[in-house]
Amino acid sequence: MLKQIQGLHHVTAMARDAALNNDFFTRVLGLRRVKQTVNFDEPSVYHLYYGDEAGSPGTVMTHFPFPNIVRGRTGTGEVGTTVFSVPQGSLAYWQARLASESVGDLVLSESFGQKRLSFRAPEGDALALVEVADDPRKPWTGGDIGTDEAIRGFHSASLRLRDGGATSELLTYMGYEGEETRDGISRFIRPDGNGADRIDIEVLPQVSHADLGSGSVHHIAFAVADRAAQDEVRSALVDTGYQVTPPIDRDYFHAIYFRTPGGVLFEVATNEPGFDRDEDTAHLGEALKLPTQHAHLRAQLERVLQPLEDGKKVA
Ligand code: ZN
C-alpha cells in the first residue's frame, strides 16, 4: 500500500464560457484565481485555476473553457460531484447567497452525518458544500465572503461507476481506507491527509457512460510531496499493471496520468513548485502566463482569448 498520496491536488473540469466561469468561481464562490494560463495542447484555450491564497494542493479547481464545446452528459465513468469544505453553521449563508445568484438545483441534505448543500454551476458542474467543524485550512477572503463562511478547499469528490470493485481496490492501494457505506455510497478516506482526503464511490450498474463536455470533470489529481514521491507512486502503479504516462512538466507541478478501471482519468501531481513559481503571491492570477513553448504566441492569444471581466456580473 502506498503512503505518498496526501489527498486531492486539483480537480479539472471543462467549460465553455471563460468569463462566466471566472465570475462564478471567483465572485460567487469566493475562490481566488491563482493562475491564468493556457492549455498546453490547445494554447488558444485558457487554463484557469481557482483556489486558496496560494493555490494550495487540495484547494484548486481548474477549468478548460473551450468556446465551442457542447454541454456534457452525466453518466458513469466520471467524477460525479466535487465537494468543498465550509465552516459549521455556514450553509444558511450559502443557500441565501447561491439562491440570490439564481444558482440551479440547490438541495440541502445530509451526507455521512454532515450537512450538505448541492448545486450546479452555470455550465452544469455538479458541486456541493459540506459543513466541516474545525477545518484548519485558511480560506481566501479577498472577496466579500468572510472567514466564518469562506471555502476551505476540497472536502471530497465522488466517482460514479458501473462497477466499483477495481477502483475501490485501487484507492486502497493508493493509501485510502474504506470508511463506511451509506445510501449506496462507499466512502474512502486518506488518514492524515491534506483535508481534501475523501473519495466517495457510487455504483450505478445500469447507467451508461458519461459524455465529456462543459460542466464535466476531465480528471482529478492526487497530491504527492515531490518528484521522488511521484516516481515511487508511478513505479508501483506500473508494477501493478497500470499504463501511466511519464512525468510531464505542467509548470506549477509535475503530473503523471492513468485511466482507472471505472473509466475516470486520475493524475498524480507534485506539491512543488507551486503557483508562485512565476509571479508574486500578492498578484497570482492577474496576468496571462504562457508556457515557454507558447510564449511566442502572446500577441495572437491576447486577441483571441475572451476577456475575463473581473468582478463584474456577466450577463
Ligand atoms: Zn491536472
Side-chain angles (χ1 to χ4, degrees), residues 10-12 47 49 62 64 219-221 250 253 255 257 267 269:
H10 63 270
V11 176
T12 293
H47 194 180
Y49 292 75
T62 98
F64 296 129
H219 65 268
I220 59 172
R250 294 304 192 197
F253 46 87
Y257 303 87
E267 174 183 338

Side-chain angles (χ1 to χ4, degrees), residues 156-291:
S156 58
S158 74
L159 310 180
R160 265 201 304 260
L161 308 174
R162 291 188 79 147
D163 179 337
T167 303
S168 301
E169 276 177 34
L170 171 64
L171 286 172
T172 305
Y173 186 61
M174 289 168 65
Y176 284 76
E177 293 179 0
E179 196 178 47
E180 58 179 321
T181 299
R182 282 198 208 182
D183 305 323
I185 296 171
S186 300
R187 170 155 290 180
F188 292 77
I189 181 162
R190 176 71 180 93
D192 305 315
N194 61 9
D197 45 17
R198 290 166 177 80
I199 299 288
D200 291 340
I201 291 186
E202 185 177 8
V203 178
L204 301 160
Q206 310 300 331
V207 176
S208 60
H209 204 276
D211 290 331
L212 188 73
S214 65
S216 308
V217 170
H218 182 267
H219 65 268
I220 59 172
F222 295 85
V224 291
D226 52 26
R227 298 190 68 186
Q230 185 181 59
D231 284 343
E232 291 164 10
V233 170
R234 185 175 185 281
S235 298
L237 289 168
V238 168
D239 287 348
T240 312
Y242 284 98
Q243 293 198 326
V244 187
T245 68
I248 301 171
D249 183 354
R250 294 304 192 197
D251 281 349
Y252 310 105
F253 46 87
H254 294 264
I256 56 174
Y257 303 87
F258 62 106
R259 186 70 64 178
T260 61
V264 180
L265 183 62
F266 277 13
E267 174 183 338
V268 176
T270 57
N271 291 348
E272 55 176 27
F275 294 100
D276 60 355
R277 180 183 161 271
D278 59 357
E279 54 191 341
D280 288 345
T281 303
H283 296 285
L284 286 180
E286 291 175 10
L288 177 66
K289 294 292 180 184
L290 297 176

Side-chain angles (χ1 to χ4, degrees), residues 143-163:
D144 66 346
I145 304 175
T147 308
D148 291 345
E149 291 91 17
I151 287 173
R152 265 50 182 173
F154 294 123
H155 166 273
S156 58
S158 74
L159 310 180
R160 265 201 304 260
L161 308 174
R162 291 188 79 147
D163 179 337

